[in-house]
Amino acid sequence: MRQLFQEIRRNPLLWLLAFVPALFAVQRMKPEAHTLLFGLSVLAIVPLAALLSHATESVAVKTGDAVGGLLNATLGNLTELVIALAALRAGEYTLVKASIAGAIVTNSLFMLGASFLLGGLRHHVQEYNRVNARLQAGLLFLATVALLVPSAVGGADGASKSAFVTSLSLGLAVLLIVAYGLGLWFTLGTHPEIFASAAHGEEEEEAPWPLGLALVTLAGVTLLVALVSEVFVESVQEAALDLGMSQAFVGFIVVALVGAAAEMASAFAGARKNRLDLSVGIALGSASQIALFVAPVLVLASYVLGPTPMSLQFWPGAVVMMLIATMTAALVTNSGKSAWFIGVLVLTVYLVFAMTLYLLPQSGT
Amino acid sequence: MRQLFQEIRRNPLLWLLAFVPALFAVQRMKPEAHTLLFGLSVLAIVPLAALLSHATESVAVKTGDAVGGLLNATLGNLTELVIALAALRAGEYTLVKASIAGAIVTNSLFMLGASFLLGGLRHHVQEYNRVNARLQAGLLFLATVALLVPSAVGGADGASKSAFVTSLSLGLAVLLIVAYGLGLWFTLGTHPEIFASAAHGEEEEEAPWPLGLALVTLAGVTLLVALVSEVFVESVQEAALDLGMSQAFVGFIVVALVGAAAEMASAFAGARKNRLDLSVGIALGSASQIALFVAPVLVLASYVLGPTPMSLQFWPGAVVMMLIATMTAALVTNSGKSAWFIGVLVLTVYLVFAMTLYLLPQSGT
Amino acid sequence: MRQLFQEIRRNPLLWLLAFVPALFAVQRMKPEAHTLLFGLSVLAIVPLAALLSHATESVAVKTGDAVGGLLNATLGNLTELVIALAALRAGEYTLVKASIAGAIVTNSLFMLGASFLLGGLRHHVQEYNRVNARLQAGLLFLATVALLVPSAVGGADGASKSAFVTSLSLGLAVLLIVAYGLGLWFTLGTHPEIFASAAHGEEEEEAPWPLGLALVTLAGVTLLVALVSEVFVESVQEAALDLGMSQAFVGFIVVALVGAAAEMASAFAGARKNRLDLSVGIALGSASQIALFVAPVLVLASYVLGPTPMSLQFWPGAVVMMLIATMTAALVTNSGKSAWFIGVLVLTVYLVFAMTLYLLPQSGT
């Protein structure tokens, strides 16, 4: 417990934890203050995500390579998953899909571009292992393409018959989870050397917690994220109206940035230490995980938790953005070299997307 | 003749030749048994395609490098061409287009992915010449893109005026055949060294037949394929209804897999022998040949054999699939390295396409 | 002045300058001869563009690296800009957009493909620096993608509400110009070595003019281009009707080829001297400049010069063509190797586009 407090004192990001009780207090006293609740829930999720990330890594270190890798791989995007599950239970499928699409785009454009920019501001030209980067960008592209087939075919066909798209989405979800399982076997079982260096680098940065503390933190913080997410999902619609933001913007940009805050901290730190392999691995790996694991799990969960089955048919603009994001990631990591301006360009594409969603008429969602 | 029988005894695939007389017997006795005729014709085409492939190679070896290369290049997809010509004569343009699109997708996803998977199950990491692979993937991408322009522009424009699309398709067919002719001059005349190693490798696997036997086999088997294709095209529509398969699925998946069976055998054998250069060359080269040669020949043939000129405007879903397939092929062959999971991912994309077409409502074709 | 005449005597392209006075004479005497005026204005722009290009380079050499680079970068596409501004003032937004799209496609397909073909006819295989080429192709892809977001999202959404697209285009124009400015700082300030060799190579080919002559030529010829462009824009619509060409074809193909004539001369000369780095740099750099600088400047200028604000929403067919062109450029420059057939294939894609636009029904613009 002392270690938990030490960690909190050392890491200014965790001071935001004060917003967690503040949120619950406001929720009890002023349940109608939607915009305030929205803002507080966003601020409260950031430190919880950081704690979750640290707890997951600590458990992973203690339980050894194979189990640890499995935990890291499945719980790495736990925050996004818990938020999306809260939205799923409330039947807010537009928000769920926007946050899936947004997480892929944010990881592969914002996290990658900001890593290149931050690294490039300190180092003239940065080199990284381009074979690994290409492999990861290839996985991300294939994962995204598979995820987008129902939208592409359903949309292109004009006849987006819901029964067809729903059963296609279910079959696809099963296929993706099988592919994800095989991917875990690949990275942890048969070819661990490909991702070894990146994972090793991450561990040495912070001392891991003891297993007991880590497990308790993991359970407790996941519960807190779930509770905060409830408030977030309840307040987001009214708050978006008040703030003049479309729901697409909130799901795509705000949820994705908040959910990925902890991973971004690691990726940016790696970039500034001239270890772009680490940054590229986190950014592309996290995006692949959303496509191959989080998205299909949400489809399957919708059969249990949601009012109706959720399909994987996305709004056409989101399809275009996901495709562009993964192709951009593939192109810029192709050379194995980076300089600050590459980061600026990748961030420009992200800003264009954000601006588009911000300006989009509300009904366009 | 003895050699032909030896070959048949040696190669279990050729035992399927028994289905050829069976097919014609059933056709005479039960012309209404559409589903049975469909199944038998599929089973009969597989060994005929294998014989055709071996005969073509034997003639190619005997006639020397330049003429042989020309023969291999033009007759390599003879099975697909003969099936498509039978469908063309029957006016089944949907089936013709589905089989063109399916051949490109099957060659560049299924054949490539299965080669990576089969090779990866035996070898930890496989390396191949990435400069050649990139060149071939580039050719395939450009060929596919050129083929898709009428669909992209016609479809995007909304005004798919048939006169415009028909004359555009005719002009395009002429351009593609000219490009194909120049490509032959390139690979056989000015730059034979680029494709030399792959071609050489293929020859040493099996002893070539004498020229006389090869020519007779080539002529006789082509005739048999034509006769079997007639039955296939006649029975496919009723059989697809019986089996609950859409016509798009049959053309895209079944015809393509059947037509490419012989080439797949070579590609998979190469992969298991750790000669991925050969597998990649067959898969990408065969797909390029469909786009640059088979498709335009079918357009031109439709003016002579078909009821009306056939355009190159594809169903939008097929356009998306062809583009994704060639981009996937370009991405995964970019690194010049392969492991089994790459194959799994490429096959996953193919399975997603197959599932989509299987579930597609019939009218969606 | 003597140097100017020497230059004119030495360079047969400049003999076309005789068409400039001829154009103004015809305009005064036969203002209704639209097709003649159109042809003369096309012929008159070519030598003016060549003079403009030489004058810009001469000023650049005299004013030193930083200012000179800035001048080259901003005035390199001055001809295209002046023609487009004339069309903008006349409210011919279809022509403006077609010439933006056409300049990107022509530079990245025709200029690149013809360089590969011309170089390949003289040299068996040409190698060039693939890291630089990939960086430039990446910049071009990102710039094009950013430019296309309003079309992709607006079009995909179906609800192309003009207020949304107009404000998005304005914001995007500002973002692109900021990115362009940062790009200049990158290439001239922090990382000049990346583009150094190509720029250096260009200078040594021709002796620069004295600063005074260069500045006077720059000002005078810009004025002449502006006057000729006025005639061109006035006559193009009637002439296109007479010649049976759609306005899309004229803007996309004719304006783009004419405007880029001077750069093409440099790129082709580089290719024949086996310096493909230079050719690739000119082709991709010029295309990027259109997307990052010329297009947003035209949007901003439309608020001052045009009847209404111009958006960046392109006709869907043009979007497809721009995306295919930049992806093709990225793919073929990926290997760092070239042979004549690569050039043929890239030119084939360009010819397919040109044929499509030529055959397109007039209303399709």
Side-chain angles (χ1 to χ4, degrees):
Chain A
M1 210 58 187
R2 209 168 49 94
Q3 266 170 300
L4 185 57
F5 284 117
Q6 267 186 352
E7 178 76 26
I8 291 172
R9 208 169 42 214
R10 205 170 55 83
N11 187 344
L13 191 70
L14 296 182
W15 299 354
L16 294 173
L17 282 173
F19 286 108
V20 179
L23 171 69
F24 293 124
V26 171
Q27 190 200 11
R28 182 152 304 177
M29 291 185 295
K30 289 190 171 183
E32 301 307 311
H34 295 298
T35 309
L36 181 61
L37 284 171
F38 170 76
L40 286 173
S41 60
V42 165
L43 289 170
I45 286 175
V46 172
L48 291 174
L51 275 182
L52 216 51
S53 166
H54 196 148
T56 306
E57 274 166 36
S58 299
V59 177
V61 172
K62 296 288 173 188
T63 50
D65 269 8
V67 181
L70 192 71
L71 274 171
N72 248 331
T74 45
L75 301 185
N77 282 304
L78 189 57
T79 313
E80 283 92 339
L81 187 59
V82 172
I83 299 176
L85 283 172
L88 197 74
R89 283 181 51 204
E92 300 276 6
Y93 288 176
T94 303
L95 188 63
V96 175
K97 290 181 189 177
S99 71
I100 293 172
I104 292 174
V105 170
T106 301
N107 283 323
S108 52
L109 288 184
F110 182 80
M111 205 189 287
L112 196 68
S115 295
F116 284 169
L117 178 57
L118 290 171
L121 290 179
R122 189 173 279 185
H123 307 278
H124 190 68
V125 170
Q126 296 186 288
E127 307 219 0
Y128 52 94
N129 188 326
R130 70 165 174 263
V131 174
N132 286 0
R134 276 182 203 160
L135 194 66
Q136 289 173 316
L139 300 196
L140 173 60
F141 178 76
L142 293 180
T144 309
V145 153
L147 190 65
L148 297 181
V149 167
S151 316
V153 176
D157 196 33
S160 53
K161 301 185 182 163
S162 61
F164 162 57
V165 174
T166 304
S167 56
L168 181 59
S169 300
L170 181 61
L172 179 61
V174 173
L175 262 182
L176 288 178
I177 285 183
V178 170
Y180 186 68
L182 290 170
L184 286 183
W185 185 31
F186 179 71
T187 52
L188 303 174
T190 68
H191 290 65
E193 75 283 3
I194 293 184
F195 301 91
S197 63
H200 180 70
E202 203 169 356
E203 286 155 22
E204 61 185 331
E205 283 177 41
E206 300 176 52
W209 292 339
L211 189 59
L213 173 66
L215 282 175
V216 169
T217 308
L218 197 57
V221 172
T222 302
L223 188 70
L224 279 176
V225 172
L227 292 172
V228 172
S229 298
E230 295 274 318
V231 183
F232 173 80
V233 169
E234 274 167 30
S235 63
V236 64
Q237 207 143 14
E238 304 273 337
L241 271 180
D242 282 2
L243 297 169
M245 295 191 282
S246 67
Q247 210 174 341
F249 181 81
V250 173
F252 210 91
I253 306 288
V254 178
V255 174
L257 284 176
V258 164
E263 288 140 342
M264 281 183 200
S266 301
F268 298 163
R272 293 192 71 80
K273 288 176 194 157
N274 206 12
R275 293 173 52 204
L276 268 187
D277 280 302
L278 185 60
S279 313
V280 171
I282 294 172
L284 300 186
S286 187
S288 299
Q289 200 183 18
I290 298 282
L292 284 173
F293 181 70
V294 174
V297 161
L298 289 169
V299 170
L300 297 182
S302 73
Y303 284 80
V304 182
L305 300 175
T308 57
M310 187 179 79
S311 79
L312 281 172
Q313 183 157 34
F314 290 92
W315 164 67
V319 173
V320 171
M321 288 183 187
M322 281 189 267
L323 271 184
I324 287 176
T326 51
M327 281 167 52
T328 301
L331 253 176
V332 297
T333 57
N334 189 28
S335 68
K337 279 189 170 186
S338 167
W340 65 266
F341 186 57
I342 310 283
V344 167
L345 275 172
V346 176
L347 286 175
T348 301
V349 175
Y350 184 74
L351 280 177
V352 173
F353 287 174
M355 194 172 66
T356 305
L357 288 167
Y358 189 79
L359 294 173
L360 202 66
Q362 295 284 350
S363 61
T365 323
Chain B
M1 209 59 186
R2 207 166 52 91
Q3 266 172 299
L4 186 55
F5 284 116
Q6 267 186 352
E7 179 75 26
I8 290 171
R9 205 166 46 211
R10 204 170 56 82
N11 187 342
L13 192 70
L14 297 183
W15 299 353
L16 294 173
L17 282 174
F19 286 108
V20 179
L23 171 69
F24 293 125
V26 172
Q27 190 198 13
R28 184 151 302 177
M29 290 183 295
K30 288 190 170 182
E32 301 307 311
H34 294 298
T35 308
L36 180 62
L37 285 171
F38 171 76
L40 287 173
S41 60
V42 165
L43 289 170
I45 287 175
V46 173
L48 292 173
L51 276 182
L52 216 52
S53 167
H54 197 150
T56 306
E57 275 165 37
S58 298
V59 177
V61 172
K62 297 287 173 187
T63 50
D65 269 7
V67 180
L70 192 69
L71 274 172
N72 248 330
T74 44
L75 301 185
N77 283 303
L78 189 56
T79 314
E80 282 93 338
L81 188 58
V82 171
I83 300 176
L85 283 172
L88 197 74
R89 282 181 51 203
E92 300 276 6
Y93 287 178
T94 302
L95 188 63
V96 175
K97 289 182 190 177
S99 71
I100 293 173
I104 293 175
V105 170
T106 301
N107 283 323
S108 52
L109 289 184
F110 182 81
M111 205 190 286
L112 196 67
S115 296
F116 284 169
L117 177 57
L118 290 172
L121 291 179
R122 188 172 280 186
H123 307 277
H124 190 69
V125 170
Q126 295 186 290
E127 307 221 0
Y128 51 94
N129 187 327
R130 70 164 174 265
V131 174
N132 286 0
R134 275 181 203 161
L135 194 65
Q136 289 173 315
L139 301 196
L140 173 59
F141 178 76
L142 293 179
T144 309
V145 153
L147 189 66
L148 296 181
V149 166
S151 316
V153 175
D157 197 31
S160 53
K161 303 189 179 159
S162 61
F164 161 58
V165 174
T166 304
S167 55
L168 182 59
S169 299
L170 181 60
L172 179 60
V174 174
L175 261 184
L176 288 178
I177 286 183
V178 170
Y180 186 69
L182 289 171
L184 286 183
W185 186 31
F186 179 71
T187 51
L188 303 174
T190 68
H191 290 65
E193 75 281 5
I194 294 184
F195 301 90
S197 63
H200 179 68
E202 203 168 358
E203 286 155 23
E204 59 185 332
E205 285 176 40
E206 302 175 53
W209 293 338
L211 189 59
L213 172 67
L215 281 175
V216 169
T217 309
L218 196 58
V221 172
T222 302
L223 188 69
L224 279 176
V225 172
L227 291 172
V228 173
S229 299
E230 295 274 319
V231 183
F232 174 79
V233 168
E234 274 167 30
S235 62
V236 64
Q237 206 141 16
E238 304 273 336
L241 271 179
D242 283 2
L243 297 169
M245 295 191 281
S246 68
Q247 210 173 343
F249 181 81
V250 173
F252 210 91
I253 306 289
V254 179
V255 174
L257 284 177
V258 164
E263 288 140 342
M264 281 183 200
S266 301
F268 298 164
R272 294 191 71 79
K273 289 176 194 158
N274 206 12
R275 292 172 53 204
L276 269 187
D277 279 303
L278 185 60
S279 314
V280 172
I282 294 173
L284 300 186
S286 186
S288 300
Q289 198 183 19
I290 298 283
L292 283 174
F293 182 70
V294 174
V297 160
L298 289 169
V299 169
L300 297 182
S302 73
Y303 283 81
V304 180
L305 300 176
T308 58
M310 188 179 78
S311 79
L312 282 172
Q313 184 157 33
F314 290 92
W315 164 66
V319 173
V320 171
M321 289 184 187
M322 280 189 268
L323 270 183
I324 287 177
T326 50
M327 280 167 52
T328 300
L331 254 176
V332 298
T333 57
N334 189 28
S335 66
K337 280 188 171 185
S338 168
W340 65 266
F341 186 58
I342 310 283
V344 167
L345 274 172
V346 176
L347 285 175
T348 301
V349 175
Y350 184 75
L351 280 178
V352 173
F353 288 173
M355 195 171 66
T356 305
L357 288 167
Y358 189 79
L359 294 173
L360 202 67
Q362 296 283 350
S363 61
T365 322
Chain C
M1 210 58 186
R2 207 166 52 91
Q3 266 170 299
L4 186 57
F5 284 116
Q6 267 185 352
E7 179 76 24
I8 291 172
R9 206 166 45 212
R10 205 170 56 82
N11 186 343
L13 191 69
L14 296 182
W15 298 354
L16 295 173
L17 282 174
F19 287 108
V20 178
L23 170 70
F24 293 124
V26 171
Q27 188 198 14
R28 184 152 302 178
M29 291 184 295
K30 288 190 171 182
E32 301 307 310
H34 295 298
T35 309
L36 181 62
L37 284 171
F38 170 76
L40 286 173
S41 60
V42 165
L43 289 169
I45 285 175
V46 173
L48 291 174
L51 275 182
L52 217 51
S53 167
H54 196 149
T56 307
E57 274 166 36
S58 299
V59 177
V61 172
K62 295 288 173 185
T63 50
D65 269 6
V67 181
L70 192 69
L71 275 172
N72 249 331
T74 45
L75 302 185
N77 283 304
L78 190 56
T79 313
E80 282 92 339
L81 188 58
V82 171
I83 299 176
L85 283 172
L88 197 73
R89 283 180 51 203
E92 300 276 7
Y93 288 178
T94 302
L95 188 64
V96 176
K97 290 181 190 177
S99 70
I100 293 172
I104 292 174
V105 171
T106 301
N107 284 322
S108 51
L109 288 184
F110 182 80
M111 205 189 287
L112 196 67
S115 296
F116 284 169
L117 177 57
L118 290 172
L121 290 179
R122 189 172 281 185
H123 307 277
H124 190 70
V125 171
Q126 295 187 288
E127 307 220 0
Y128 52 93
N129 187 326
R130 70 166 175 261
V131 175
N132 286 0
R134 276 181 203 162
L135 194 66
Q136 290 174 314
L139 301 195
L140 173 59
F141 178 76
L142 293 180
T144 309
V145 153
L147 189 66
L148 296 181
V149 167
S151 315
V153 176
D157 196 32
S160 54
K161 302 187 179 161
S162 61
F164 161 58
V165 173
T166 304
S167 55
L168 181 59
S169 300
L170 181 62
L172 178 61
V174 174
L175 261 183
L176 288 178
I177 286 183
V178 170
Y180 186 68
L182 289 171
L184 287 183
W185 186 32
F186 178 71
T187 50
L188 304 174
T190 68
H191 289 66
E193 75 282 3
I194 293 184
F195 301 90
S197 63
H200 181 68
E202 203 168 359
E203 285 155 23
E204 61 186 330
E205 284 176 41
E206 300 175 53
W209 293 337
L211 189 59
L213 172 66
L215 282 175
V216 169
T217 308
L218 197 56
V221 172
T222 301
L223 188 70
L224 279 176
V225 172
L227 292 172
V228 172
S229 299
E230 296 274 318
V231 183
F232 174 78
V233 169
E234 273 167 30
S235 62
V236 65
Q237 207 141 15
E238 304 272 338
L241 271 180
D242 283 2
L243 296 169
M245 295 190 282
S246 68
Q247 209 173 342
F249 181 82
V250 173
F252 210 91
I253 305 288
V254 178
V255 174
L257 285 176
V258 163
E263 288 139 341
M264 281 184 200
S266 301
F268 298 164
R272 294 191 72 79
K273 288 177 196 156
N274 206 11
R275 292 174 52 205
L276 268 188
D277 280 303
L278 186 59
S279 313
V280 172
I282 294 174
L284 300 186
S286 188
S288 299
Q289 198 182 20
I290 298 282
L292 283 174
F293 181 69
V294 174
V297 161
L298 289 169
V299 169
L300 298 182
S302 75
Y303 284 81
V304 182
L305 300 176
T308 57
M310 187 179 79
S311 79
L312 281 173
Q313 184 157 34
F314 290 92
W315 164 66
V319 173
V320 171
M321 289 184 186
M322 280 189 269
L323 271 184
I324 287 176
T326 51
M327 281 167 53
T328 301
L331 253 176
V332 297
T333 57
N334 189 28
S335 67
K337 279 189 171 184
S338 168
W340 66 265
F341 186 57
I342 310 284
V344 167
L345 274 171
V346 176
L347 286 175
T348 300
V349 175
Y350 185 74
L351 280 178
V352 173
F353 288 172
M355 195 172 65
T356 306
L357 288 167
Y358 189 79
L359 293 173
L360 202 67
Q362 294 284 350
S363 61
T365 322

